[in-house]
């Protein structure tokens, strides 16, 4: 199970009204994902990045049955929930809480916000989709109330099929998220300059 460890950067949370929570990918680290913020329009944000135990949030593919990734998956979602609760307890409005992640971290980010839909500041998923061997729509309820969400991915991607990205977009839109999905031909499993520009334009433009 994961131990709660959060690395911070950017503004002190007491000196700003906007927070970005970043979720690293498999084999990555909180420090790695925080370095992404240097390319985002987030200089006025407090930045928080939880660290997965052994650098992995859950053991197998996000396309496995959820039970195969337990108890790690539930533990990871609980860590994010605790970080969000900590931020809100500091007086930050949920509509000023932003979340983002790459790969495994993008999948986890999307799974968390869709299980806990509400008006967030915005969500960025660099190569990710909802978790499971199929879409478990019974896990998802609530109203995003126009929350802007950007999902970028490669076609093909070795880990995330475009079909799951499109299914995820459909679920998010049905819950009133304002979703922009962009599929990049043969981009590879990475974050492109265009994705960064899209995130800045669509999400971090306030």
């Amino acid at each position: 199970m994961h131990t709660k460890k959060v690395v911070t950067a950017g503004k002190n949370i007491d000196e700003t009204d906007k927070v970005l929570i970043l979720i690293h990918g498999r084999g990555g680290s909180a420090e790695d994902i925080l370095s992404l913020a240097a390319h985002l329009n987030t200089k006025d944000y407090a930045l928080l990045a939880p660290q997965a135990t052994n650098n992995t949030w859950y053991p197998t593919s996000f396309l496995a049955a959820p039970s195969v990734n337990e108890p790690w998956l539930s533990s990871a979602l609980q860590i994010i929930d605790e970080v969000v609760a900590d931020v809100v307890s500091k007086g930050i409005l949920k509509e000023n809480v932003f979340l983002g992640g790459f790969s495994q971290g993008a999948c986890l980010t999307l799974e968390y916000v869709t299980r806990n839909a509400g008006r967030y500041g915005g969500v960025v998923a660099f190569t990710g989709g909802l978790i499971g061997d199929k879409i478990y729509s019974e896990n998802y309820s609530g109203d995003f109330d126009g929350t802007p969400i950007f999902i970028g991915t490669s076609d093909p991607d070795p880990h995330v099929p475009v079909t799951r990205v499109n299914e995820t977009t459909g679920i998010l839109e049905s819950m009133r998220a304002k979703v922009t999905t962009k599929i990049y031909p043969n981009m590879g499993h990475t974050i492109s300059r265009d994705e960064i520009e899209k995130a800045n334009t669509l999400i971090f433009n306030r």
Side-chain angles (χ1 to χ4, degrees):
M1 301 279 275
H2 295 289
T3 301
K4 186 179 174 186
K5 176 187 175 185
V6 181
V7 181
T8 62
K11 292 283 189 181
N12 187 295
I13 199 168
D14 297 321
E15 300 173 342
T16 184
D17 62 354
K18 295 190 289 291
V19 174
L20 170 58
I21 300 167
L22 288 167
I23 312 299
H24 69 77
R26 186 189 301 274
S29 69
E31 289 82 3
D32 289 341
I33 197 70
L34 282 172
S35 69
L36 180 64
H39 306 282
L40 301 172
N41 294 337
T42 54
K43 64 182 178 62
D44 294 325
Y45 290 56
L47 308 171
L48 288 76
Q51 173 64 52
T53 299
N54 298 323
N55 303 94
T56 299
W57 292 108
Y58 44 85
T60 66
S61 167
F62 87 109
L63 296 171
S67 60
V68 175
N69 279 315
E70 295 294 0
W72 295 99
L73 175 57
S74 290
S75 178
L77 292 168
Q78 179 63 32
I79 291 290
I80 299 175
D81 195 53
E82 290 178 10
V83 174
V84 171
D86 289 346
V87 167
V88 172
S89 75
K90 293 284 190 179
I92 304 294
L93 298 175
K94 195 171 181 180
E95 64 193 41
N96 286 328
V97 176
F98 297 72
L99 296 99
F102 170 64
S103 190
Q104 190 185 60
C107 296
L108 195 59
T109 296
L110 289 168
E111 187 70 18
Y112 174 78
V113 297
T114 313
R115 291 190 185 202
N116 299 274
R119 184 58 169 93
Y120 297 92
V123 179
V124 178
F126 296 114
T127 311
L130 291 172
I131 294 172
D133 53 322
K134 62 178 184 176
I135 296 290
Y136 288 87
S137 57
E138 64 270 21
N139 289 335
Y140 312 129
S141 62
D143 187 342
F144 279 108
D145 192 21
T147 295
I149 298 178
F150 172 67
I151 306 174
T153 195
S154 176
D155 182 17
D157 181 86
H159 305 290
V160 180
V162 170
T163 52
R164 179 54 57 89
V165 174
N166 290 333
E167 289 173 324
T168 299
T169 297
I171 292 288
L172 295 169
E173 289 179 337
S174 75
M175 298 168 69
R176 293 212 310 140
K178 187 177 181 181
V179 188
T180 301
T181 300
K182 186 162 183 183
I183 311 299
Y184 298 84
N186 300 305
M187 178 177 70
H189 196 68
T190 187
I191 300 174
S192 70
R193 169 52 56 185
D194 190 75
E195 286 179 291
I196 294 290
E197 292 174 358
K198 287 287 188 297
N200 281 330
T201 300
L202 297 165
I203 308 300
F204 304 114
N205 59 357
R206 294 198 292 160

